Amino acid sequence: MSKKKYYRFPIALASIVAISGSLLAGCGGQKTEDHPTKNEQKAVTHDTTAATTTEKEQKVDAGGYIEDQKLPKKATYIQGILVASKQYPLPADFAPGENVEAREAFEELNAAALLDGFKFNAFSTYRSYDRQVELYDAYVKRDGKKAADTYSARPGYSEHQTGLAFDIGEVGSEEDFADNKFGDTEAGKWIAKNAHNYGFIMRYPEGKEDKTGYMHESWHFRYVGKKIATEIYEKNETLEEYLGISK
């Protein structure tokens, strides 16, 4: 995650993120549309610690995070989908890199976009836990913790750590990277309408902030596979709504 239109992402930092995003190797969450591979099931299985606590028993802080929650030893899969959110953190050492299948899907999406006159750049994909520490701390220092929690995930809670989240912008319009102006462009409208055909969902859609826990981000897409992405898109749901979980 990065910023919302109310918190301008510095151009210099955006450039750095763009470069680092292109250099970093992504993540290995899901290797099929619906389920993790057998190897992933062995290495990363569903952690039931959070699931055994009811919402009434959970106390959340001002940022929407469960109070005193410690990072788990294993990541959480729900209905075969790797989840990273304010309620479902990842282990600090979870470092799969950029997901190969997600990258292939993005290249397929980009090839289709070129036929319609658009070219996209996935300027930030996989981020390590340590990288998220740097980013989140910088945002807190700049905007304060309350504001930062609305647009940036705390370390261990970022979807980018899964390697399945792709921040996408139009090549040639780098000034709109990590800015909601992107959603108002023809390129932004194209990807919002077509991303599900290639397995991606807009992870933080407008008007769903109470479901996701984050501000709208027109550039942040999450790979879940074509079947699930299409179901979520057609139902106009968020991942939380689709899985029946809280933010």
Side-chain angles (χ1 to χ4, degrees):
M1 320 221 35
S2 12
K3 61 147 206 50
K4 165 83 169 165
K5 59 185 179 182
Y6 301 116
Y7 302 96
R8 291 291 303 171
F9 198 87
I11 295 176
L13 181 56
S15 300
I16 293 173
V17 171
I19 295 172
S20 62
S22 63
L23 294 177
L24 287 170
C27 155
Q30 297 155 267
K31 301 301 181 182
T32 65
E33 291 184 0
D34 300 287
H35 302 284
T37 64
K38 291 182 179 179
N39 288 335
E40 287 167 336
Q41 288 174 327
K42 292 178 181 178
V44 186
T45 56
H46 178 63
D47 182 81
T48 59
T49 303
T52 56
T53 304
T54 65
E55 288 188 22
K56 291 183 179 180
E57 294 173 330
Q58 294 175 345
K59 293 183 178 180
V60 297
D61 61 23
Y65 293 85
I66 298 174
E67 291 183 358
D68 302 319
Q69 184 179 32
K70 295 182 179 180
L71 297 184
K73 294 182 179 179
K74 297 178 181 179
T76 300
Y77 283 90
I78 299 177
Q79 297 180 35
I81 299 175
L82 177 59
V83 180
S85 68
K86 290 183 176 182
Q87 302 295 308
Y88 297 94
L90 298 165
D93 61 357
F94 187 80
E98 184 185 87
N99 183 272
V100 175
E101 186 175 328
R103 169 56 67 172
E104 292 174 348
F106 172 73
E107 297 302 338
E108 183 182 359
L109 177 153
N110 222 359
L114 281 171
L115 297 177
D116 288 336
F118 305 110
K119 185 176 182 180
F120 296 107
N121 176 22
F123 60 86
S124 181
T125 59
Y126 169 71
R127 290 185 206 146
S128 68
Y129 173 89
D130 290 340
R131 177 57 177 155
Q132 193 65 25
V133 170
E134 295 175 354
L135 289 173
Y136 181 76
D137 287 351
Y139 297 141
V140 170
K141 184 177 181 180
R142 186 187 70 188
D143 299 322
K145 192 177 186 67
K146 181 178 179 180
D149 280 338
T150 66
Y151 65 84
S152 178
R154 295 178 187 176
Y157 295 80
S158 174
E159 269 209 331
H160 283 283
Q161 194 181 339
T162 70
L164 293 162
F166 279 43
D167 285 346
I168 299 173
E170 185 180 15
V171 173
S173 297
E174 286 74 16
E175 69 278 5
D176 291 338
F177 281 11
D179 193 298
N180 276 324
K181 290 190 300 182
F182 172 66
D184 296 325
T185 67
E186 292 306 310
K189 293 175 182 178
W190 186 96
I191 197 169
K193 182 179 180 180
N194 293 281
H196 67 281
N197 293 320
Y198 306 93
F200 290 93
I201 58 171
M202 183 183 290
R203 185 64 179 87
Y204 306 112
E206 190 171 12
K208 297 281 189 173
E209 293 82 357
D210 62 324
K211 304 296 183 183
T212 65
Y214 292 106
M215 289 182 173
H216 168 49
E217 292 188 347
S218 62
W219 64 89
H220 182 118
F221 290 83
R222 161 69 193 268
Y223 182 75
V224 293
K226 294 179 182 180
K227 178 178 180 295
I228 294 173
T230 298
E231 291 175 355
I232 291 175
Y233 176 81
E234 291 180 346
K235 293 179 180 179
N236 191 32
E237 292 183 334
T238 62
L239 187 60
E240 283 78 11
E241 291 172 302
Y242 180 80
L243 296 176
I245 60 177
S246 60
K247 62 185 177 184

